[in-house]
Coordinates of all heavy atoms in Angstrom, one line a residue:
M1137 N 0.9 -1.2 0.0 CA 0.0 0.0 0.0 C 0.9 1.3 0.0 O 1.9 1.3 0.6 CB -0.9 0.0 1.2 CG -1.9 1.0 1.1 SD -3.1 1.0 2.5 CE -4.4 0.1 1.8
S1138 N 0.4 2.2 -0.7 CA 1.2 3.5 -0.8 C 1.0 4.4 0.5 O -0.1 4.4 1.1 CB 0.8 4.2 -2.0 OG 1.4 5.4 -2.0
D1139 N 2.1 5.0 0.8 CA 2.0 6.0 1.9 C 1.6 7.4 1.4 O 1.4 8.3 2.2 CB 3.4 6.2 2.6 CG 3.8 5.0 3.4 OD1 2.8 4.2 3.8 OD2 5.0 4.7 3.6
H1140 N 1.4 7.5 0.1 CA 1.0 8.8 -0.4 C -0.5 9.0 -0.2 O -1.3 8.2 -0.5 CB 1.2 8.8 -2.0 CG 0.9 10.1 -2.6 ND1 1.6 11.2 -2.4 CD2 -0.1 10.4 -3.5 CE1 1.0 12.2 -3.1 NE2 -0.1 11.7 -3.8
R1141 N -0.8 10.1 0.4 CA -2.2 10.5 0.7 C -2.6 11.6 -0.4 O -1.8 12.4 -0.9 CB -2.3 11.2 2.0 CG -2.2 10.2 3.2 CD -2.4 11.0 4.4 NE -2.6 10.0 5.5 CZ -3.8 9.6 5.9 NH1 -4.9 10.0 5.4 NH2 -3.9 8.8 6.9
F1142 N -3.9 11.5 -0.7 CA -4.4 12.4 -1.7 C -4.5 13.8 -1.1 O -5.0 14.0 0.0 CB -5.8 12.0 -2.2 CG -6.5 12.9 -3.0 CD1 -6.2 13.0 -4.4 CD2 -7.5 13.8 -2.5 CE1 -6.8 13.9 -5.2 CE2 -8.1 14.8 -3.3 CZ -7.7 14.8 -4.7
T1143 N -4.1 14.7 -1.9 CA -4.2 16.1 -1.4 C -4.7 16.9 -2.6 O -4.4 16.7 -3.7 CB -2.8 16.7 -1.0 OG1 -1.9 16.6 -2.1 CG2 -2.2 16.1 0.2
P1144 N -5.6 17.8 -2.3 CA -6.2 18.6 -3.3 C -5.2 19.5 -4.0 O -4.2 19.9 -3.4 CB -7.3 19.4 -2.7 CG -7.0 19.4 -1.2 CD -6.1 18.2 -0.9
D1145 N -5.4 19.7 -5.3 CA -4.6 20.6 -6.1 C -4.6 21.9 -5.5 O -5.7 22.5 -5.6 CB -5.0 20.5 -7.5 CG -4.1 21.4 -8.4 OD1 -3.0 21.7 -7.9 OD2 -4.5 21.7 -9.5
E1146 N -3.6 22.5 -5.1 CA -3.5 23.9 -4.5 C -2.8 24.8 -5.4 O -2.2 25.8 -4.9 CB -2.9 23.8 -3.1 CG -3.7 23.0 -2.2 CD -3.1 22.9 -0.8 OE1 -2.2 23.6 -0.5 OE2 -3.5 22.0 0.0
T1147 N -3.0 24.6 -6.7 CA -2.3 25.5 -7.7 C -3.0 26.8 -8.0 O -2.6 27.7 -8.7 CB -2.0 24.8 -9.0 OG1 -3.2 24.4 -9.5 CG2 -1.0 23.6 -8.8
G1148 N -4.3 26.9 -7.4 CA -5.1 28.1 -7.6 C -5.9 28.0 -8.8 O -6.5 29.0 -9.2
S1149 N -6.0 26.9 -9.5 CA -6.9 26.7 -10.6 C -8.1 25.8 -10.3 O -8.0 24.7 -10.6 CB -6.1 26.1 -11.9 OG -5.6 25.0 -11.5
P1150 N -9.1 26.3 -9.7 CA -10.3 25.5 -9.3 C -11.0 25.1 -10.6 O -10.9 25.8 -11.6 CB -11.1 26.3 -8.4 CG -10.8 27.8 -8.9 CD -9.3 27.7 -9.2
L1151 N -11.7 24.1 -10.5 CA -12.6 23.6 -11.7 C -13.7 24.7 -11.9 O -14.2 25.2 -10.9 CB -13.2 22.3 -11.3 CG -12.3 21.1 -11.2 CD1 -13.0 19.8 -10.8 CD2 -11.6 20.8 -12.5
A1152 N -14.1 24.8 -13.0 CA -15.1 25.8 -13.4 C -16.4 25.2 -12.9 O -16.7 24.0 -13.1 CB -15.1 26.0 -14.9
P1153 N -17.2 26.1 -12.4 CA -18.6 25.6 -12.0 C -19.3 25.2 -13.2 O -19.1 25.6 -14.4 CB -19.3 26.9 -11.4 CG -18.3 28.0 -11.4 CD -17.1 27.5 -12.2
A1154 N -20.3 24.2 -13.0 CA -21.0 23.5 -14.1 C -21.8 24.6 -14.9 O -21.9 24.4 -16.1 CB -22.0 22.5 -13.5
A1155 N -22.3 25.6 -14.3 CA -23.1 26.7 -15.1 C -22.2 27.4 -16.0 O -22.7 27.8 -17.0 CB -23.7 27.6 -14.0
S1156 N -20.9 27.6 -15.8 CA -20.1 28.4 -16.7 C -19.4 27.6 -17.8 O -18.7 28.2 -18.7 CB -19.1 29.2 -15.9 OG -18.1 28.3 -15.3
R1157 N -19.4 26.2 -17.6 CA -18.8 25.4 -18.7 C -19.7 25.4 -19.9 O -20.8 25.5 -19.9 CB -18.8 23.9 -18.2 CG -17.8 23.8 -17.1 CD -17.6 22.3 -16.8 NE -17.3 22.1 -15.4 CZ -17.5 21.1 -14.7 NH1 -18.3 20.2 -15.1 NH2 -17.1 21.1 -13.4
T1158 N -19.0 25.3 -21.1 CA -19.7 25.3 -22.3 C -20.3 23.9 -22.4 O -19.6 22.9 -22.1 CB -18.8 25.6 -23.5 OG1 -17.6 24.9 -23.4 CG2 -18.6 27.0 -23.8
P1159 N -21.5 23.8 -22.8 CA -22.1 22.4 -22.9 C -21.4 21.6 -24.0 O -21.0 22.2 -25.0 CB -23.6 22.7 -23.3 CG -23.6 24.2 -23.8 CD -22.4 24.9 -23.3
R1160 N -21.3 20.3 -23.8 CA -20.7 19.4 -24.7 C -21.5 19.4 -26.0 O -21.0 19.3 -27.1 CB -20.5 18.1 -24.0 CG -19.8 17.1 -24.9 CD -19.5 15.9 -24.1 NE -18.9 14.9 -25.1 CZ -18.8 13.7 -24.8 NH1 -19.2 13.1 -23.7 NH2 -18.2 12.9 -25.7
H1161 N -22.8 19.3 -25.9 CA -23.7 19.2 -27.0 C -24.6 20.5 -26.9 O -25.6 20.6 -26.1 CB -24.6 18.0 -26.9 CG -23.8 16.7 -26.9 ND1 -23.1 16.3 -28.0 CD2 -23.4 15.9 -25.9 CE1 -22.4 15.2 -27.7 NE2 -22.7 14.9 -26.4
P1162 N -24.3 21.5 -27.7 CA -25.1 22.7 -27.6 C -26.5 22.6 -28.2 O -27.3 23.6 -28.1 CB -24.3 23.7 -28.4 CG -23.5 22.9 -29.4 CD -23.2 21.6 -28.7
H1163 N -26.8 21.4 -28.8 CA -28.2 21.3 -29.3 C -28.9 20.2 -28.6 O -28.3 19.2 -28.2 CB -28.1 20.9 -30.8 CG -27.4 22.0 -31.6 ND1 -28.1 23.1 -32.0 CD2 -26.1 22.0 -32.2 CE1 -27.3 23.9 -32.8 NE2 -26.2 23.2 -32.8
H1164 N -30.2 20.3 -28.4 CA -31.1 19.3 -27.9 C -32.5 19.7 -28.5 O -33.2 20.3 -27.9 CB -31.1 19.4 -26.4 CG -32.1 18.3 -25.8 ND1 -31.7 17.0 -25.8 CD2 -33.3 18.4 -25.3 CE1 -32.7 16.3 -25.3 NE2 -33.6 17.1 -24.9
L1165 N -32.6 19.2 -29.8 CA -33.8 19.4 -30.5 C -35.0 18.7 -30.1 O -34.8 17.5 -29.8 CB -33.4 19.1 -32.0 CG -34.4 19.7 -33.1 CD1 -34.5 21.2 -33.0 CD2 -33.8 19.2 -34.4
R1166 N -36.1 19.3 -29.9 CA -37.3 18.6 -29.4 C -38.6 19.3 -29.8 O -38.6 20.5 -30.1 CB -37.3 18.4 -27.9 CG -37.2 19.8 -27.1 CD -36.8 19.5 -25.6 NE -36.7 20.8 -25.0 CZ -35.6 21.5 -25.0 NH1 -34.6 21.2 -25.6 NH2 -35.6 22.6 -24.3
Y1167 N -39.7 18.5 -29.8 CA -41.0 19.1 -30.0 C -41.7 19.3 -28.7 O -41.5 18.6 -27.7 CB -41.9 18.0 -30.7 CG -41.5 17.6 -32.1 CD1 -41.1 16.4 -32.4 CD2 -41.7 18.5 -33.2 CE1 -40.8 16.0 -33.6 CE2 -41.4 18.1 -34.4 CZ -40.9 16.9 -34.7 OH -40.6 16.5 -36.0
E1168 N -42.6 20.4 -28.6 CA -43.3 20.7 -27.4 C -44.6 21.2 -27.8 O -44.8 21.8 -28.9 CB -42.6 21.8 -26.6 CG -41.2 21.4 -26.0 CD -40.6 22.6 -25.3 OE1 -41.2 23.7 -25.2 OE2 -39.5 22.3 -24.7
R1169 N -45.7 20.7 -27.1 CA -47.0 21.2 -27.2 C -47.1 22.6 -26.5 O -46.8 22.7 -25.3 CB -48.0 20.2 -26.7 CG -48.0 18.9 -27.3 CD -49.2 18.9 -28.3 NE -49.1 17.7 -29.2 CZ -49.1 17.7 -30.4 NH1 -49.3 18.8 -31.1 NH2 -48.9 16.6 -31.1
P1170 N -47.7 23.6 -27.2 CA -48.0 24.8 -26.5 C -48.9 24.6 -25.4 O -49.8 23.8 -25.5 CB -48.5 25.8 -27.6 CG -48.2 25.1 -28.9 CD -48.1 23.6 -28.5
A1171 N -48.8 25.4 -24.3 CA -49.7 25.3 -23.2 C -51.1 25.6 -23.7 O -51.3 26.6 -24.4 CB -49.2 26.2 -22.0
G1172 N -52.1 24.9 -23.2 CA -53.5 25.2 -23.5 C -54.0 24.6 -24.8 O -55.1 24.9 -25.1
T1173 N -53.2 23.8 -25.4 CA -53.7 23.2 -26.7 C -53.9 21.7 -26.4 O -53.2 21.1 -25.8 CB -52.7 23.4 -27.9 OG1 -51.5 22.7 -27.5 CG2 -52.5 24.8 -28.2
A1174 N -55.0 21.2 -27.0 CA -55.4 19.8 -26.8 C -55.2 19.1 -28.1 O -55.4 19.7 -29.2 CB -56.8 19.7 -26.3
R1175 N -54.8 17.9 -28.1 CA -54.8 17.1 -29.3 C -56.2 16.7 -29.7 O -57.1 16.5 -29.0 CB -54.0 15.8 -29.0 CG -52.8 15.7 -29.9 CD -52.1 14.5 -29.5 NE -51.1 13.9 -30.3 CZ -50.7 14.3 -31.5 NH1 -51.2 15.3 -32.1 NH2 -49.8 13.7 -32.1
T1176 N -56.4 16.8 -31.1 CA -57.6 16.4 -31.6 C -57.8 14.9 -31.6 O -56.9 14.2 -31.5 CB -57.8 17.0 -33.0 OG1 -56.8 16.5 -33.9 CG2 -57.9 18.5 -33.0
G1177 N -59.0 14.4 -31.9 CA -59.3 13.0 -31.9 C -58.7 12.3 -33.1 O -58.1 13.0 -34.0
P1178 N -58.8 11.0 -33.2 CA -58.2 10.3 -34.4 C -58.7 10.7 -35.7 O -58.0 10.6 -36.7 CB -58.5 8.9 -34.1 CG -59.5 8.8 -33.0 CD -59.5 10.2 -32.3
E1179 N -59.9 11.2 -35.8 CA -60.6 11.7 -37.1 C -60.2 13.1 -37.3 O -60.4 13.6 -38.5 CB -62.1 11.5 -37.1 CG -62.6 10.1 -36.9 CD -62.6 9.7 -35.4 OE1 -62.8 10.6 -34.6 OE2 -62.4 8.4 -35.2
G1180 N -59.5 13.7 -36.4 CA -59.1 15.1 -36.7 C -60.2 16.1 -36.4 O -60.1 17.3 -36.6
H1181 N -61.3 15.6 -35.8 CA -62.4 16.6 -35.4 C -62.9 16.1 -34.1 O -62.8 15.0 -33.8 CB -63.4 16.7 -36.6 CG -64.0 15.4 -37.1 ND1 -64.7 14.6 -36.2 CD2 -64.0 14.7 -38.2 CE1 -65.1 13.6 -36.8 NE2 -64.7 13.6 -38.1
G1182 N -63.6 17.0 -33.5 CA -64.2 16.6 -32.3 C -64.8 17.9 -31.6 O -64.9 18.9 -32.2
A1183 N -65.1 17.8 -30.4 CA -65.7 19.0 -29.7 C -64.7 20.1 -29.7 O -63.6 20.0 -29.0 CB -66.1 18.6 -28.3
G1184 N -65.0 21.2 -30.3 CA -64.0 22.3 -30.4 C -62.7 21.9 -31.0 O -61.6 22.2 -30.4
A1185 N -62.7 21.2 -32.0 CA -61.4 20.6 -32.7 C -60.4 21.8 -33.0 O -60.8 22.6 -33.8 CB -61.7 19.8 -33.9
A1186 N -59.4 21.8 -32.2 CA -58.3 22.8 -32.5 C -57.3 22.1 -33.4 O -57.1 20.9 -33.3 CB -57.7 23.2 -31.2
R1187 N -56.6 22.9 -34.2 CA -55.6 22.2 -35.0 C -54.4 21.8 -34.1 O -54.1 22.5 -33.1 CB -55.0 23.3 -36.0 CG -56.0 23.6 -37.0 CD -55.6 24.6 -38.1 NE -54.1 24.9 -38.2 CZ -53.7 25.8 -39.0 NH1 -54.4 26.6 -39.6 NH2 -52.4 25.9 -39.1
D1188 N -53.8 20.7 -34.4 CA -52.7 20.2 -33.6 C -51.5 21.2 -33.9 O -51.0 21.3 -35.0 CB -52.2 18.8 -34.0 CG -53.2 17.7 -33.6 OD1 -54.0 18.1 -32.7 OD2 -53.2 16.7 -34.1
L1189 N -51.0 21.8 -32.8 CA -49.9 22.8 -33.0 C -48.7 22.3 -32.2 O -48.9 21.6 -31.1 CB -50.3 24.2 -32.5 CG -51.4 24.8 -33.2 CD1 -51.8 26.1 -32.5 CD2 -51.0 25.1 -34.6
T1190 N -47.5 22.5 -32.7 CA -46.3 22.1 -32.1 C -45.3 23.2 -32.1 O -45.2 23.9 -33.1 CB -45.7 20.9 -32.8 OG1 -46.8 19.8 -32.8 CG2 -44.5 20.3 -32.2
V1191 N -44.4 23.3 -31.1 CA -43.3 24.3 -31.0 C -42.1 23.4 -31.1 O -42.0 22.4 -30.4 CB -43.3 25.0 -29.8 CG1 -42.1 26.0 -29.6 CG2 -44.6 26.0 -29.7
V1192 N -41.1 23.9 -32.0 CA -39.9 23.2 -32.0 C -38.8 24.0 -31.3 O -38.7 25.2 -31.6 CB -39.4 23.0 -33.5 CG1 -38.1 22.4 -33.6 CG2 -40.4 22.3 -34.3
T1193 N -38.1 23.4 -30.4 CA -37.1 24.2 -29.6 C -35.8 23.4 -29.6 O -35.8 22.2 -29.9 CB -37.5 24.3 -28.1 OG1 -37.7 23.0 -27.5 CG2 -38.9 25.1 -28.0
C1194 N -34.7 24.2 -29.3 CA -33.4 23.6 -29.4 C -32.6 24.3 -28.2 O -32.9 25.5 -27.9 CB -32.7 23.7 -30.6 SG -31.2 22.8 -30.7
A1195 N -31.6 23.6 -27.6 CA -30.9 24.2 -26.5 C -30.0 25.3 -27.0 O -29.6 26.2 -26.2 CB -30.0 23.1 -25.9
C1196 N -29.8 25.5 -28.3 CA -29.0 26.5 -28.9 C -29.7 27.9 -28.9 O -29.3 28.9 -29.2 CB -28.5 26.2 -30.3 SG -29.8 26.2 -31.5
G1197 N -31.1 27.8 -28.6 CA -31.8 29.0 -28.6 C -32.9 29.1 -29.7 O -33.7 30.0 -29.8
F1198 N -32.8 28.1 -30.6 CA -33.8 28.1 -31.7 C -35.1 27.7 -31.1 O -35.3 26.7 -30.5 CB -33.2 27.0 -32.7 CG -34.2 26.8 -33.9 CD1 -34.2 27.7 -34.9 CD2 -35.1 25.7 -33.8 CE1 -35.1 27.4 -36.0 CE2 -36.0 25.5 -34.9 CZ -35.9 26.4 -36.0
T1199 N -36.1 28.5 -31.5 CA -37.5 28.2 -31.1 C -38.4 28.8 -32.2 O -38.3 29.9 -32.8 CB -37.8 29.0 -29.8 OG1 -36.9 28.7 -28.8 CG2 -39.2 28.7 -29.3
T1200 N -39.5 28.0 -32.5 CA -40.4 28.4 -33.5 C -41.8 28.8 -32.7 O -42.0 28.5 -31.6 CB -40.8 27.3 -34.5 OG1 -41.5 26.2 -33.7 CG2 -39.6 26.7 -35.1
P1201 N -42.6 29.6 -33.4 CA -43.9 29.8 -32.9 C -44.7 28.5 -33.0 O -44.2 27.6 -33.7 CB -44.5 31.0 -33.8 CG -43.7 30.9 -35.1 CD -42.3 30.3 -34.6
A1202 N -45.9 28.4 -32.5 CA -46.7 27.3 -32.6 C -47.1 27.1 -34.1 O -47.6 28.0 -34.7 CB -48.0 27.5 -31.8
L1203 N -46.7 25.9 -34.6 CA -46.9 25.6 -36.0 C -47.7 24.4 -36.1 O -47.8 23.5 -35.2 CB -45.6 25.3 -36.7 CG -44.5 26.4 -36.7 CD1 -43.2 25.9 -37.2 CD2 -45.0 27.6 -37.7
P1204 N -48.5 24.2 -37.2 CA -49.2 22.9 -37.4 C -48.1 21.8 -37.5 O -47.0 22.0 -37.8 CB -49.8 23.1 -38.9 CG -49.9 24.6 -39.1 CD -48.8 25.2 -38.3
D1205 N -48.5 20.6 -37.1 CA -47.6 19.5 -37.0 C -46.7 19.3 -38.1 O -45.5 19.0 -38.1 CB -48.4 18.2 -36.5 CG -48.8 18.2 -35.1 OD1 -48.3 19.0 -34.3 OD2 -49.6 17.3 -34.7
A1206 N -47.4 19.3 -39.3 CA -46.7 19.0 -40.6 C -45.5 20.1 -40.8 O -44.4 19.7 -41.2 CB -47.6 19.0 -41.8
D1207 N -45.8 21.3 -40.6 CA -44.8 22.3 -40.7 C -43.8 22.2 -39.7 O -42.6 22.4 -39.9 CB -45.5 23.7 -40.6 CG -46.4 24.0 -41.8 OD1 -46.2 23.4 -42.8 OD2 -47.3 24.9 -41.7
A1208 N -44.1 21.9 -38.4 CA -43.2 21.7 -37.3 C -42.1 20.6 -37.7 O -41.0 20.7 -37.5 CB -43.9 21.4 -36.0
R1209 N -42.7 19.5 -38.3 CA -41.7 18.4 -38.7 C -40.8 18.8 -39.7 O -39.6 18.5 -39.7 CB -42.5 17.3 -39.2 CG -43.2 16.3 -38.2 CD -43.7 15.0 -38.7 NE -44.9 15.2 -39.6 CZ -46.0 15.2 -39.2 NH1 -46.4 15.0 -38.0 NH2 -47.1 15.3 -40.1
L1210 N -41.2 19.7 -40.7 CA -40.3 20.2 -41.7 C -39.2 21.1 -41.1 O -38.0 21.0 -41.4 CB -41.0 21.0 -42.7 CG -41.9 20.1 -43.7 CD1 -42.7 21.1 -44.6 CD2 -41.0 19.2 -44.5
V1211 N -39.6 22.0 -40.2 CA -38.6 22.9 -39.5 C -37.7 22.0 -38.6 O -36.5 22.3 -38.6 CB -39.4 23.9 -38.6 CG1 -38.4 24.7 -37.8 CG2 -40.2 24.8 -39.5
Y1212 N -38.2 21.0 -38.0 CA -37.4 20.1 -37.2 C -36.3 19.5 -38.0 O -35.1 19.4 -37.7 CB -38.3 19.1 -36.5 CG -37.5 18.1 -35.6 CD1 -37.5 18.3 -34.2 CD2 -36.9 17.0 -36.2 CE1 -36.8 17.4 -33.4 CE2 -36.2 16.1 -35.4 CZ -36.2 16.2 -34.0 OH -35.5 15.4 -33.2
E1213 N -36.7 19.0 -39.2 CA -35.7 18.3 -40.1 C -34.7 19.3 -40.6 O -33.5 19.0 -40.7 CB -36.5 17.6 -41.2 CG -37.2 16.3 -40.7 CD -36.3 15.3 -40.2 OE1 -35.2 15.1 -40.6 OE2 -36.8 14.7 -39.1
E1214 N -35.2 20.5 -41.0 CA -34.2 21.5 -41.5 C -33.2 21.9 -40.4 O -32.0 22.0 -40.7 CB -34.9 22.8 -41.9 CG -35.7 22.6 -43.2 CD -36.6 23.8 -43.5 OE1 -36.5 24.8 -42.7 OE2 -37.3 23.7 -44.4
H1215 N -33.6 22.0 -39.2 CA -32.6 22.4 -38.1 C -31.7 21.2 -37.8 O -30.5 21.4 -37.5 CB -33.3 22.8 -36.8 CG -32.4 23.5 -35.8 ND1 -31.7 24.7 -36.1 CD2 -32.0 23.1 -34.6 CE1 -31.0 25.0 -35.1 NE2 -31.1 24.0 -34.2
R1216 N -32.3 20.0 -37.9 CA -31.5 18.8 -37.7 C -30.3 18.7 -38.7 O -29.2 18.3 -38.4 CB -32.3 17.6 -37.8 CG -31.7 16.3 -37.2 CD -32.6 15.1 -37.1 NE -33.2 14.8 -38.4 CZ -32.7 13.7 -39.1 NH1 -31.8 13.0 -38.6 NH2 -33.2 13.4 -40.3
N1217 N -30.7 19.1 -39.9 CA -29.6 19.1 -41.0 C -28.6 20.1 -40.7 O -27.4 19.9 -41.0 CB -30.3 19.3 -42.4 CG -31.1 18.1 -42.8 OD1 -30.9 17.0 -42.5 ND2 -32.1 18.4 -43.7
V1218 N -29.0 21.3 -40.2 CA -28.1 22.4 -39.9 C -27.1 21.8 -38.8 O -25.8 22.1 -38.8 CB -28.8 23.6 -39.4 CG1 -27.8 24.6 -38.8 CG2 -29.5 24.4 -40.5
I1219 N -27.7 21.1 -37.8 CA -26.8 20.6 -36.7 C -25.9 19.6 -37.3 O -24.7 19.6 -37.0 CB -27.7 19.9 -35.7 CG1 -28.6 21.0 -34.9 CG2 -26.9 19.1 -34.6 CD1 -29.6 20.4 -34.1
R1220 N -26.3 18.7 -38.2 CA -25.5 17.7 -38.8 C -24.3 18.4 -39.6 O -23.2 18.0 -39.5 CB -26.3 16.8 -39.7 CG -25.5 15.6 -40.3 CD -26.1 15.0 -41.4 NE -26.2 16.0 -42.5 CZ -27.3 16.1 -43.3 NH1 -28.3 15.3 -43.2 NH2 -27.3 17.0 -44.3
D1221 N -24.6 19.5 -40.3 CA -23.6 20.1 -41.1 C -22.6 20.8 -40.2 O -21.4 20.9 -40.5 CB -24.3 21.2 -42.0 CG -25.0 20.5 -43.1 OD1 -24.9 19.3 -43.4 OD2 -25.9 21.2 -43.7
E1222 N -23.1 21.4 -39.0 CA -22.1 22.0 -38.0 C -21.1 21.0 -37.5 O -20.0 21.3 -37.3 CB -22.9 22.6 -36.9 CG -23.4 24.0 -37.1 CD -24.2 24.5 -35.8 OE1 -24.1 23.8 -34.7 OE2 -24.9 25.4 -35.9
T1223 N -21.6 19.8 -37.2 CA -20.7 18.8 -36.5 C -20.0 18.0 -37.5 O -19.1 17.2 -37.0 CB -21.6 18.0 -35.5 OG1 -22.7 17.3 -36.2 CG2 -22.3 18.7 -34.4
G1224 N -20.4 18.0 -38.7 CA -19.8 17.1 -39.7 C -18.7 17.6 -40.3 O -17.5 17.5 -40.4

């Protein structure tokens, strides 16, 4: 067994707090339902049938307004391609 005891590094360079570190993955792309919107039934109509709306958000700050689901999917794919091009 070693007689060496662990001592903290006292060189004056503390680790950066988690909040100030740059994220390893600056993107986290996801769909979100706007508050107060309900999904419509399987036939697409029902009592007070509202259109299905979706917001696309990303950790990089990218956010869309509430869009119809089909449009949100297109925007999601476009941003996903931008992410791929950045990292590739």
